[in-house]
Amino acid sequence: MRQSFDETTDPSFGEKHLPLVRARMAEQGLDGWLVPHEDEHQNEYLPEANDRLAWLTGFTGSAGAGVVLMDRAAVFADGRYTVQVRAQVDAAQFEILDLVEGGVPAWLERAPRGAVIGYDPRLHSPDALATLKRAAAKADAVLRPVDVNPLDQAWGDARPAQPTAPVVSHEERYAGEGAASKRARIGRAIAEKGAEVAVLTAPASIAWLFNVRGGDVIRTPLPLGQALLNADGRARLFLDPRKVTNELPGWLGEDVTLQSPDTIEAALAELKGRRVLIDPAQSSAWWFDRLEAAGATVVRAMDPCALPRACKNPVEIEGSRQAHIRDGAALARFLHWVDTVAQETLPDERQVAEALERFREATGALKDLSFDTIAGAGPNGALPHYKPVTRTIRRMERGSLLLVDGGGQYLDGTTDVTRTVAVGEPDADQRRMFTLVLKGHVAMATVRFPAGTTGHQLDALARLPMWMAGLDYDHGTGHGVGSYLGVHEGPQRIAKLVNTQPLLTGMILSNEPGYYREGHWGIRIETLQVVTPPEPVPGGERPMHGFEQLTFAPLDRRLIDVDLLTAGERAYVDVYHAETLAKVGPLLDAGVRAWLERQCAPL
């Protein structure tokens, strides 16, 4: 099986590792040390060798931070991980705080006066550092960059080796555009920004631009590397030589020069007098420091690959459609198993996750999971980003709910879907809450919106039914999704948090409102959808974007209180189910297809 259910950390990490880090801090004259979750590549999901926050604290969530002083320390996590962080971190060693409400900046404002707090410039973007420096200044504290990371020193020989997975080609029949064409197009965009060359440090941009994929990051086919792209389309690609296959140079072509990462500093020094584009939100402060020292003129702008990567081309969109139909058949078989075998045997969460993985593997096309499957039975379903591990695994329970969130990585697309299923007969309260979530989900699936609209502006639509009932959920409504890349992709998102990026044609986003009753159960409905081109609305005056549904998997009709739905909402569910049956049904054997026909019958 691809997914492990073993614990990789424990709360004792803090007591064991904090003294080691503090000793190294003292050697450098530091009163404090910042520990972001992100690594040198600003990754969300990390290679084991770069998961510094987990090694220090025991916390394994995909977003967080830590601060260490000589006499106290703190760890920060957002609303998805409120329960998890308290289970994984020793509260006697770390104050546990909210990452979003105040976060690290608010904590720094209360730092000891005159404290010298160190940071590794390879791990922080300039944008993030600017906020932290302003906060520290309020306490008359100083943030100091250091060349040698005291946490890495403390980790020492026990630290795992950096990954060296081979970098492989991603064929144009999946990518929809050749790498030379992409380089020329992005090169023109660099020139339009008044720059001569761009520094690219985001692994997703490297993978997209050069039409390559790797295996350095768990659940995401990313190669860790960096690149310099000239405005004329020529590029230098910095990869560990151990990742370079015999076929790769020929795939990249003569206009791409492969170099080892240990030549990067020398390459940056050659940029003296040149105008260099680099993203201050994505690339770390180390790059800016080296460029300025080299005498380059820094042009601060968004990674020029970010928007072209987010706006999928027709080949990528069709690939995503086909990946989701294939994945939908696996989901139908899984949901049939849950509704028949599992309702009788009441398996545990590990068995549920393993069953879903087996059905995806049976497609013959699965390259990897797109993230570790979330299978939450009863109270565990109330933890939005719960991951089953041996210590916490529960069995399905009659009268409760099962929340399963999982996805697959296929060469033609990345999937991510959540379904909530009743175990036994649901009660009226469970049906009401599920239906409120469904109403918000339908609102987001059917909305029309003008050009220039952001996901931030749409977010309230998914929450309105719950807001009217005095309820809410503490995570975003939608995240961007890559094309055989990251299951979480920016710059697009749908969330309360302000985001100025308009939703553009071809962007793929999730639609996943939820409700979580701590200690009891959780509900989430998630499908992926792609932004459609603006089209006239009958009787309207302006063309409007909309969403095309990509995910096709039946909803648990036992949980739908039809009386709470409007006629339009009922019609949407019926059409969605009819389309699910039409697309997925032909891939199923007779028994599962008959079950799907019953699930997809009109409400």
Side-chain angles (χ1 to χ4, degrees):
M1 302 302 289
R2 299 174 189 268
Q3 182 165 337
S4 170
F5 301 87
D6 297 332
E7 296 270 17
T8 57
T9 67
D10 67 65
S12 71
F13 276 25
E15 186 175 8
K16 290 188 293 188
H17 297 158
L18 273 172
L20 302 178
V21 174
R22 284 171 171 147
R24 295 297 189 172
M25 287 164 50
E27 291 174 1
Q28 298 193 45
L30 299 174
D31 304 306
W33 181 249
L34 300 180
V35 186
H37 173 268
E38 293 78 17
D39 67 356
E40 290 86 337
H41 305 270
Q42 299 295 296
N43 282 317
E44 176 184 19
Y45 296 110
L46 303 175
E48 188 179 357
N50 295 350
D51 204 350
R52 296 172 173 90
L53 186 63
W55 177 83
L56 177 68
T57 68
F59 174 57
T60 60
S62 64
V67 183
V68 180
L69 297 178
M70 286 301 183
D71 60 347
R72 54 193 168 97
V75 64
F76 302 80
D78 65 27
R80 297 171 296 173
Y81 297 111
T82 302
V83 177
Q84 178 180 330
V85 70
R86 295 188 182 280
Q88 291 186 315
V89 175
D90 182 355
Q93 302 294 325
F94 294 92
E95 186 180 7
I96 298 173
L97 299 168
D98 189 279
L99 182 66
V100 178
E101 296 297 327
V104 178
W107 198 87
L108 286 176
E109 290 178 8
R110 305 190 304 273
R113 296 226 163 255
V116 176
I117 299 174
Y119 67 90
D120 186 337
R122 294 176 181 269
L123 307 182
H124 300 264
S125 72
D127 281 0
L129 270 179
T131 301
L132 297 175
K133 287 178 178 178
R134 285 194 298 269
K138 292 182 179 180
D140 291 330
V142 176
L143 296 192
R144 177 196 291 172
V146 301
D147 293 327
V148 180
N149 187 317
L151 187 149
D152 292 353
Q153 285 183 303
W155 204 343
D157 293 339
R159 185 181 180 188
Q162 290 291 329
T164 56
V167 178
V168 299
S169 61
H170 187 58
E171 297 178 19
E172 192 171 335
R173 61 183 170 133
Y174 301 118
E177 182 181 6
S181 172
K182 289 181 178 179
R183 294 199 315 274
R185 180 156 64 99
I186 301 305
R188 291 191 294 271
I190 292 168
E192 289 170 2
K193 291 289 186 181
E196 302 166 73
V197 61
V199 173
L200 303 175
T201 63
S205 292
I206 301 297
W208 177 86
L209 180 66
F210 296 99
N211 281 349
V212 295
R213 297 296 187 266
D216 290 337
V217 179
I218 186 170
R219 309 293 177 238
T220 311
L222 293 175
L224 297 186
Q226 301 86 15
L228 298 179
L229 176 65
N230 294 322
D232 64 5
R234 293 180 297 112
R236 295 197 227 181
L237 178 57
F238 301 91
L239 293 175
D240 186 320
R242 292 172 294 180
K243 302 178 187 179
V244 177
T245 64
N246 293 333
E247 296 77 21
L248 186 62
W251 173 258
L252 293 171
E254 60 184 16
D255 287 331
V256 178
T257 303
L258 278 167
Q259 294 183 224
S260 173
D262 59 18
T263 67
I264 286 175
E265 286 202 59
L268 295 179
E270 296 172 16
L271 298 178
K272 179 179 181 179
R274 302 187 70 186
R275 294 180 60 82
V276 183
L277 185 152
I278 185 168
D279 188 339
Q282 176 62 55
S283 298
S284 71
W286 181 89
W287 295 88
F288 289 78
D289 296 342
R290 293 301 181 275
L291 287 170
E292 289 165 4
T297 299
V298 173
V299 178
R300 294 179 173 232
M302 179 189 288
D303 179 335
C305 297
L307 276 180
R309 184 180 77 238
C311 298
K312 310 300 183 286
N313 62 46
V315 170
E316 290 172 315
I317 293 171
E318 180 58 28
S320 187
R321 291 185 186 114
Q322 297 306 316
H324 278 87
I325 291 171
R326 182 189 315 118
D327 198 62
L331 284 163
R333 296 183 182 103
F334 167 73
L335 291 170
H336 171 260
W337 174 83
V338 171
D339 199 40
T340 54
V341 174
Q343 293 279 346
E344 295 300 321
T345 61
L346 299 178
D348 66 29
E349 293 162 344
R350 174 173 183 158
Q351 293 168 318
V352 169
E354 289 177 337
L356 178 54
E357 187 174 329
R358 283 196 302 272
F359 286 117
R360 284 195 162 108
E361 287 280 11
T363 66
L366 185 73
K367 305 299 289 185
D368 197 357
L369 303 177
S370 58
F371 57 98
D372 283 342
T373 299
I374 298 165
N380 287 344
L383 311 178
H385 270 223
Y386 168 76
K387 175 190 170 184
V389 291
T390 303
R391 174 178 51 83
T392 63
I393 286 174
R394 300 178 62 95
R395 301 188 73 86
M396 291 171 52
E397 302 172 12
R398 288 189 178 88
S400 190
L401 303 177
L402 173 70
L403 186 155
V404 182
D405 183 354
Q409 291 283 11
Y410 304 94
L411 287 172
D412 48 359
T414 299
T415 70
D416 178 7
V417 56
T418 307
R419 288 296 181 264
T420 305
V421 181
V423 185
E425 191 61 32
D427 61 31
D429 185 39
Q430 291 166 339
R431 296 176 71 237
R432 173 176 177 264
M433 301 315 304
F434 182 90
T435 308
L436 289 177
V437 173
L438 176 59
K439 289 168 74 71
H441 182 87
V442 172
M444 189 58 67
T446 57
V447 64
R448 305 300 300 270
F449 54 94
T453 301
T454 68
H456 169 65
Q457 292 168 318
L458 296 182
D459 180 73
L461 296 174
R463 299 178 190 271
L464 184 59
M466 278 177 286
W467 282 357
M468 297 301 289
L471 308 166
D472 201 3
Y473 51 94
D474 293 327
H475 58 74
T477 298
H479 56 83
V481 179
S483 179
Y484 189 43
L485 280 173
V487 74
H488 293 155
E489 176 183 86
Q492 73 274 28
R493 65 172 181 264
I494 303 172
K496 287 181 182 179
L497 194 65
V498 175
N499 178 17
T500 59
Q501 174 59 53
L503 301 184
L504 303 174
T505 300
M507 286 181 168
I508 295 176
L509 298 107
S510 66
N511 171 8
E512 49 179 309
Y515 170 73
Y516 309 93
R517 182 167 295 172
E518 187 172 345
H520 295 275
W521 35 260
I523 295 165
R524 186 162 64 251
I525 304 171
E526 178 186 16
T527 64
L528 299 191
Q529 49 196 35
V530 60
V531 179
T532 57
E535 296 178 346
V537 174
E541 297 179 350
R542 300 183 185 182
M544 296 284 167
H545 289 286
F547 290 115
E548 173 194 338
Q549 301 305 299
L550 295 173
T551 304
F552 290 100
L555 303 167
D556 188 344
R557 52 192 302 125
R558 293 169 300 178
L559 283 168
I560 300 175
D561 186 340
V562 179
D563 292 338
L564 294 180
L565 297 179
T566 65
E569 290 165 344
R570 290 198 300 272
Y572 171 83
V573 173
D574 286 345
V575 169
Y576 176 78
H577 273 154
E579 195 170 359
T580 297
L581 181 61
K583 291 179 182 296
V584 173
L587 302 181
L588 304 175
D589 60 46
V592 178
R593 180 184 169 89
W595 172 86
L596 186 63
E597 289 173 348
R598 295 191 297 273
Q599 295 302 307
C600 293
L603 293 177

